[in-house]
Structures are given as C-alpha cells and as structure tokens.
Amino acid sequence: MPKREVPLLLGEWFDRNPLDVQKLAAFTGGAPNASDAYTINGQPGDLYRCSKQETVRIPVDSGESILLRIINSALNQELFFSIANHRLTVVSADASYTKPFTTRVLMMGPGQTTDVLLTADQPPAHYYMAARVYQTAQNAPFDNTTTTAILEYKSAACSSKKGQSPPPALPLLPAFNDTATATAFTAQIKSPSQVKVPTQIHENLFFIVGLGLNNCTVPNNPRCQGPNNTRFAASMNNVSFVFPRTNSIMQAYYNGVPGVFTTDFPPVPLVQFDYTGNVPRGLWTPRRGTKLYKLKYGSNVQIVLQDTSIVTTEDHPMHLHGYHFYVIGSGFGNFNPRTDPAKFNLFDPPLRNTIGTPPGGWVAIRFVADNPGVWLMHCHLDAHLALGLAMAFLVENGKGPSQSVIPPPADLPRC
C-alpha cells in the first residue's frame, strides 16, 4: 500500500483573466481563445519559455509506491497524461473505486478525476510527467503545447557539470486527435465487482448534444463573430439552456415563483434525423429556454447521450450534478435502440459523475433519482455551458423528510 498521496492538478493558464476570456466569447458569439499554456500544480514546466525554475518536482525513493490523485481542472480541454518509462495502475475514477488496470496513458475531461498507483521501479533518474490536449472538434483553435512536471528519484546521480542532472526522459504522448487511445482507456474503467444497475427503467430518455449556430441579421455585427455572420450556440435536444437572472430555479420551485422555468424539456428530439450524418442546415439553430425535465423520486432513469455532427462532432464530457451514474455502454455512429442495448454492460459498469460522448457517437447511463431537488446536467467544457449545452432535472420529493428537500433556514440571507 502507498504511504503517501500526491495530488496532481492539471489546468490551463491564460495571460489574462480567464473570466474575461469566457465573457468575450459570450459577447462575440465566437470560439473562446485557446489557453497560453497547460499546467501541473499551477506550473507550466520546462517546455515553455521562462518557467523552468518553477517546474514542479515530485521526489521519490527507489521502490516506493505512491498514490497520485490526478484532477483535470482545465476549462475547455480534455487531456492526455503520462509519465516517461512508468506504468500507472488505475484504482479509482470520479471518487469511485475501479477494477485495477495498468496503463501508460490516461485521458480525462474537465472535472474528471483518476487515482493511480505509481511504483518507482525504474533506474534512478529524472522522468517527465506530461500532459497535452485531446482535441476532437474539427477546425477549432486549441493550445497544442505540453506541460511537464518531474518525477525525481532521490538517488539519481548528478552530472559532473555544475551538479546538474541529465535531462529527464519525456513520455510519448498520443497525437492530439487519437480517439482510439482515448476510447480504449475509458473502456477499461469498470466497477471492482458486480453492481446493482437499475433494470426496470421508468424514464427512458434520449438526448442529442452538440453545437449549433444562430443567424444574425445585421452584417458585421461585433456580437456575431461565428462562421458567416452567426453566433455559436449549443443545446440538448435542440434546446439551448438559459440561466435565470433573478431567481434561482430551486428557489423559484420551492417558493412557487412563476415564469422562471417550465417543465417541458423534451424526453427525445422533437425532430429525428441522421444525427452523425449530413444534417440539413435548417436543424442547426436551437431554441432558447429554461426547460426542466421532471422525475418522480425513486424512478430508474436511462439516458442515451448522442453526439451530433452539427458544426462538428466532438467528445462532450457530460456532468450531472447531485448524482453518480453507471456508464452501461457507448459506441460510434447513431444509437440503435434495437441492437445496441444487447451490448450494454449491466454487470460491472463504472460509476462516474462525468462521461464523454464519443465524437460522432453515443454513451448510455443509468441512475436512480433518489436525490430530490433541481440538478443541472451540462457539458464540462466551460465554453459550451455558456453557449447553452445544458438542461436540468427536477426530482420531486418522496415520502417523509428524509426523501424531501430540506426547507431553507429562517435566517437565510436574501439575494
């Protein structure tokens, strides 16, 4: 068993306030600026100008085993991660234990976490830990740099020149668009043993997720910096989510405030089409609204999240607040409700809270709606959330106080 834990926070760095980057994209309707660097524990590493003095170093003894708690906290990028010459044993994902497996490379979307065991079993030296982008959207700008930290064996010999060590070995990271490696890694994540997956489904939902474009009528409008005088949008089931500006949805629901939201989010797309094919331009424009889908307490829910080719296919890391869920299947192309369920893993699927839609593909999840309240489901690419790639579930109260939303305290401050 490892005697110590080391957190590794993967992130993005901008040469300006990240909130300003997001606000600018929201204002112009264009794509957000790519970051200027990636970071490990807040530092870019040796491969960027002027950052070598601050490169993060993780000292280890030969033969030592440590637990690395790796978190992707990047705003807008999924990331590959690897350590030169070392194998990693995955033991947990999204704070849930997994069946252990070894790998040389991880892929994590924003908000995903992976715990790995690392044994310092290589010749004493310095080895780079490195992360770079996994990018699936076509023709989209992205930061194609690599961040590094150093795994530093304490017994590594120094060179005779000014006491400096030899250059660290650099891991061979996948190409930025290596979907095969990303898919193979995710497919290995499973629960440690058989789990109780809901089988009697009460709510069978099918959500298409992806980008869109809103047309602009005024030429050269500074708020229309998307392709061909448009604004980028994003949606689920062609509804682009609008966040309320005055009341929170939960507050409006609890206090019975009208006009803040509706509960008519569609359980399936209102128009069916070839989701991953050549989609007619008339289907590229989503409707805007604050629409929720109502679930009875204790209902068993299945959701198939289907990526579309509108604007571009893309791996959207989808996150559900208030719940973990079982990932029971995934594939490429359009989900086939007649044949694909036969391939579902109902024995030992992984328990996650964030899962990517394969680019041009689908992923199926199941959970029990046993946490009452209003819970947002959204893409964890921060720019896509601002564009409307979200919806919310309204899980009704069950019976008794233990199955109901706790009322606000009498001294709750007003907004």
Side-chain angles (χ1 to χ4, degrees), residues 121-155:
D121 56 3
Q122 295 300 302
H126 293 173
Y127 300 90
Y128 274 131
M129 303 175 169
R132 67 171 297 187
V133 67
Y134 169 50
Q135 171 72 14
T136 56
Q138 299 177 18
N139 302 318
F142 66 95
D143 178 359
N144 198 20
T145 60
T146 301
T147 180
T148 57
I150 297 175
L151 183 70
E152 188 175 67
Y153 282 66
K154 296 176 184 177
S155 57

Side-chain angles (χ1 to χ4, degrees), residues 92-149:
S92 175
D94 290 350
S96 295
Y97 287 120
T98 65
K99 194 169 294 180
F101 67 93
T102 58
T103 181
R104 292 197 179 275
V105 63
L106 314 178
M107 194 289 291
M108 293 186 295
Q112 287 185 317
T113 67
T114 307
D115 295 343
V116 301
L117 294 173
L118 166 71
T119 300
D121 56 3
Q122 295 300 302
H126 293 173
Y127 300 90
Y128 274 131
M129 303 175 169
R132 67 171 297 187
V133 67
Y134 169 50
Q135 171 72 14
T136 56
Q138 299 177 18
N139 302 318
F142 66 95
D143 178 359
N144 198 20
T145 60
T146 301
T147 180
T148 57

Side-chain angles (χ1 to χ4, degrees), residues 26-360:
F27 175 82
T28 64
N33 286 7
S35 59
D36 296 286
Y38 300 113
T39 59
I40 298 178
N41 286 0
Q43 298 298 335
D46 288 354
L47 304 186
Y48 298 92
R49 288 188 306 113
C50 306
S51 64
K52 288 188 175 183
Q53 297 301 318
E54 290 80 26
T55 295
V56 171
R57 294 172 179 267
I58 309 297
V60 292
D61 292 310
S62 290
E64 180 184 11
S65 291
I66 60 175
L67 179 67
L68 299 178
R69 296 193 179 274
I70 307 169
I71 307 159
N72 183 354
S73 62
L75 285 177
N76 289 315
Q77 294 294 357
E78 297 173 294
L79 295 170
F80 288 117
F81 175 85
S82 186
I83 302 177
N85 295 12
H86 288 74
R87 296 184 70 85
L88 306 172
T89 301
V90 176
V91 294
S92 175
D94 290 350
S96 295
Y97 287 120
T98 65
K99 194 169 294 180
F101 67 93
T102 58
T103 181
R104 292 197 179 275
V105 63
L106 314 178
M107 194 289 291
M108 293 186 295
Q112 287 185 317
T113 67
T114 307
D115 295 343
V116 301
L117 294 173
L118 166 71
T119 300
D121 56 3
Q122 295 300 302
H126 293 173
Y127 300 90
Y128 274 131
M129 303 175 169
R132 67 171 297 187
V133 67
Y134 169 50
Q135 171 72 14
T136 56
Q138 299 177 18
N139 302 318
F142 66 95
D143 178 359
N144 198 20
T145 60
T146 301
T147 180
T148 57
I150 297 175
L151 183 70
E152 188 175 67
Y153 282 66
K154 296 176 184 177
S155 57
C158 292
S159 68
S160 57
K161 263 190 184 178
K162 298 182 181 179
Q164 293 188 2
S165 302
L170 190 67
L172 181 63
L173 286 164
F176 73 88
N177 57 355
D178 190 345
T179 292
T181 293
T183 302
F185 169 74
T186 302
Q188 292 182 84
I189 302 176
K190 297 179 180 178
S191 290
S193 58
Q194 185 175 4
V195 294
K196 293 182 179 179
V197 182
T199 54
Q200 184 180 356
I201 302 303
H202 305 117
E203 297 281 355
N204 197 353
L205 308 176
F206 184 79
F207 293 169
I208 58 172
V209 300
L211 300 178
L213 295 174
N214 288 326
N215 296 319
C216 298
T217 56
V218 180
N220 302 317
N221 188 335
R223 294 183 62 86
C224 296
Q225 299 300 306
N228 302 318
N229 197 41
T230 62
R231 288 180 58 84
F232 276 112
S235 66
M236 298 178 67
N237 277 0
N238 208 41
V239 178
S240 192
F241 191 79
V242 178
F243 286 90
R245 294 184 178 274
T246 53
N247 294 82
S248 74
I249 297 175
M250 187 64 204
Q251 181 184 15
Y253 170 62
Y254 191 87
N255 293 330
V257 179
V260 176
F261 64 87
T262 60
T263 56
D264 57 346
F265 185 86
V268 297
L270 297 180
V271 178
Q272 297 183 6
F273 55 93
D274 181 0
Y275 307 113
T276 57
N278 187 13
V279 182
R281 187 63 175 82
L283 297 174
W284 285 35
T285 304
R287 298 172 296 153
R288 288 166 52 83
T290 309
K291 296 179 180 293
L292 279 60
Y293 190 84
K294 190 179 290 188
L295 295 172
K296 291 187 180 299
Y297 182 91
S299 57
N300 296 333
V301 184
Q302 175 176 295
I303 309 174
V304 174
L305 298 161
Q306 172 73 60
D307 184 35
T308 77
S309 58
I310 297 175
V311 180
T312 177
T313 57
E314 189 168 2
D315 188 322
H316 295 280
M318 300 300 296
H319 174 65
L320 176 59
H321 288 220
Y323 289 91
H324 276 70
F325 47 76
Y326 288 111
V327 182
I328 58 173
S330 64
F332 290 94
N334 295 330
F335 175 74
N336 188 325
R338 293 184 302 275
T339 59
D340 285 328
K343 297 177 284 187
F344 285 173
N345 175 12
L346 303 180
F347 182 81
D348 59 355
L351 190 64
R352 307 296 302 264
N353 62 38
T354 304
I355 192 64
T357 60

